[in-house]
Amino acid sequence: MATVETATEIRPFRLDVPKEALEDLRRRIEVTRLPSKELVEDRSQGVQLATIQELARYWATDYDWRKAEARLNALPQFTTEIDGVDIHFIHIKSQNEHALPLIMTHGWPGSVIELLETVGPLTDPTAYGGRPEDAFDLVLPSIPGYGFSGEPVEVGWELGRTARAWAELMRRLGYTRYVAQGGDVGAGVSDAMGRQAPDGLIGIHTNLLVPALSGDMPTDTDEERAAAAQIATFGQSGNGYFIEMATRPQTIGYALLDSPVALAAWMLDHDTDAYYKISHAFVDGEPVGNLTRDHILDNITLYWLTGTGASAARSYWEAYGPDAPAAGREPPPPSSIPVGFTTFPGEIWRTPRSWAEKAYPSLTYFNEVDRGGHFAAWEEPELFSEELRAAFASVR
């Protein structure tokens, strides 16, 4: 599937998916056995049949993986072994010699695909109305067990271990001064990096307040109570995927590796805002921002071709599972380095500034924008890039 051209410590990487793999994917989609229609008119019973039928039809007849493959191969991709796992990453250097190095971490059900739309605005801001001095060098790694990174073969790859691997990756790339960003699982990795404060890391930014998942946040204001209610709703009826992957990732893994349509349904059933946006893209042909049919299927197809549905699910067991080695450990103290946070209206909950300040005493930037959701970097890449430029302006 992929050819590694050299055996140096940091090795160039290029995709070459066999034609047979794509033909097998199409065949499996075409012979899918679907359930009957849900008995409700919304997503309360899960991913709706009409959405999956149109996704499967488009995937089997109109979608072209080769376009995504060419797009990835047009970017500088590499692998390097860190702590026993091959780490895949994209490394794009800005034309600006004073660009600030930025390592960005994707989440689930995402991959490096969800970050590609930000490459232009972040590395070449002048082409998007920004200033040359706002440029970043970008490092976009695939979390162990996701995409083209290797699967861990032992337990213990929790968020902190990935954070340490990212610090080592930046060291190998020669960066002595850099910043980090993450959403979803990537927010957990970036949070851990901020707490660890490795040499060279001068700031982090996230768009999901990971510490709020512990439930230890104030509810004194209307804004705080609204956020707490959103988290409670997520915990009562929106986190089925979370519970399954945090407790029994191997069980769901069989379906994710055997049926592409099962994989697609599992990945779509993440949060209400993103689900309806994706559903409208397929059923109504009305994408929101860059959440187009092709972009969504680029991401799902990446999971299918790499066979990483189960290993990605295990990352939730490692990070949040009660039986994982990390369970019950006290996290390190909050980050002492500058922290930026942006809250997007379509996120699982809208984080109040008071919560961000409680979680991060070193908060230096907070902003609430008027559009975008869980996949903010993907959906609204230019807005997202503007937020990162503003968040890290004080540490340049």
Side-chain angles (χ1 to χ4, degrees):
M1 180 178 299
T3 56
V4 177
E5 298 174 354
T6 69
T8 57
E9 185 178 38
I10 294 178
R11 307 174 296 274
F13 179 91
R14 183 176 176 82
L15 293 173
D16 185 16
V17 174
K19 179 182 177 182
E20 294 76 17
L22 299 177
E23 291 174 344
D24 176 66
L25 168 59
R26 185 171 294 108
R27 179 189 63 80
R28 287 172 179 264
I29 297 170
E30 291 172 345
V31 300
T32 300
R33 188 168 67 165
L34 294 171
S36 58
K37 185 181 184 297
E38 64 280 355
L39 304 180
V40 293
E41 297 303 317
D42 56 20
R43 73 177 288 255
S44 60
Q45 289 190 341
V47 176
Q48 294 158 296
L49 180 61
T51 299
I52 281 297
Q53 285 178 319
E54 183 54 28
L55 181 150
R57 183 206 65 76
Y58 187 86
W59 203 1
T61 61
D62 296 349
Y63 174 71
D64 183 3
W65 162 257
R66 295 302 185 192
K67 291 180 181 178
E69 184 175 87
R71 188 181 185 197
L72 286 166
N73 281 336
L75 297 170
Q77 298 181 87
F78 305 89
T79 61
T80 188
E81 183 180 316
I82 300 177
D83 200 7
V85 173
D86 274 342
I87 301 298
H88 164 265
F89 64 98
I90 300 170
H91 184 200
I92 310 104
K93 291 187 177 181
S94 172
Q95 297 276 333
N96 189 318
E97 62 179 344
H98 301 297
L100 179 63
L102 165 63
I103 183 166
M104 286 210 297
T105 312
H106 64 83
W108 186 93
S111 66
V112 292
I113 294 287
E114 72 177 279
L115 304 175
L116 297 185
E117 303 299 325
T118 66
V119 169
L122 289 174
T123 61
D124 185 16
T126 55
Y128 297 83
R131 304 176 304 169
E133 58 267 31
D134 291 332
F136 293 89
D137 281 0
L138 282 186
V139 180
L140 309 178
S142 298
I143 298 171
Y146 288 72
F148 301 108
S149 282
E151 294 186 15
V153 295
E154 61 181 3
V155 297
W157 270 95
E158 32 71 46
L159 298 171
R161 188 168 177 178
T162 301
R164 289 188 290 273
W166 281 191
E168 170 61 17
L169 174 59
M170 296 303 276
R171 187 196 68 78
R172 289 188 192 182
L173 293 174
Y175 290 128
T176 58
R177 190 173 182 273
Y178 63 93
V179 292
Q181 143 66 29
D184 193 81
V185 175
V189 174
S190 298
D191 174 90
M193 291 183 75
R195 294 171 186 271
Q196 293 169 3
D199 290 343
L201 181 65
I202 60 172
I204 67 169
H205 176 275
T206 76
N207 48 287
L208 184 76
L209 196 72
V210 175
L213 290 171
S214 68
D216 185 26
M217 290 292 161
T219 55
D220 300 323
T221 68
D222 289 345
E223 189 181 21
E224 292 170 346
R225 284 188 288 272
Q230 288 179 311
I231 294 178
T233 296
F234 173 71
Q236 291 163 2
S237 61
N239 68 343
Y241 74 92
F242 189 105
I243 297 298
E244 180 71 15
M245 295 199 299
T247 58
R248 294 294 186 271
Q250 191 71 12
T251 301
I252 190 60
Y254 297 107
L256 303 183
L257 271 290
D258 187 63
S259 167
V261 172
L263 174 68
W266 188 250
M267 293 173 69
L268 261 58
D269 198 14
H270 181 270
D271 68 279
T272 299
D273 179 75
Y275 169 74
Y276 281 123
K277 288 172 179 174
I278 293 169
S279 180
H280 286 314
F282 282 101
V283 176
D284 306 314
E286 298 176 356
V288 177
N290 281 282
L291 291 178
T292 66
R293 293 181 297 186
D294 285 334
H295 286 164
I296 295 302
L297 286 174
D298 288 344
N299 185 55
I300 297 171
T301 306
L302 177 65
Y303 272 73
W304 176 261
L305 294 174
T306 56
T308 49
S311 55
R314 291 186 202 119
S315 73
Y316 273 65
W317 185 91
E318 292 281 11
Y320 309 109
D323 299 317
R329 289 184 196 164
E330 283 294 319
S335 173
S336 59
I337 61 177
V339 176
F341 188 88
T342 302
T343 183
F344 291 86
E347 187 53 272
I348 299 171
W349 70 89
R350 298 183 70 157
T351 294
R353 184 184 186 108
S354 58
W355 283 16
E357 290 173 338
K358 177 177 173 60
Y360 299 115
S362 59
L363 187 76
T364 56
Y365 179 86
F366 179 90
N367 194 28
E368 182 173 351
V369 295
D370 61 0
R371 64 186 190 277
H374 188 76
F375 297 102
W378 202 357
E379 181 185 345
E380 299 284 352
E382 292 188 40
L383 173 62
F384 189 84
S385 300
E386 289 173 8
E387 282 300 298
L388 294 193
R389 289 196 291 267
F392 291 126
S394 65
V395 300
R396 284 186 179 272

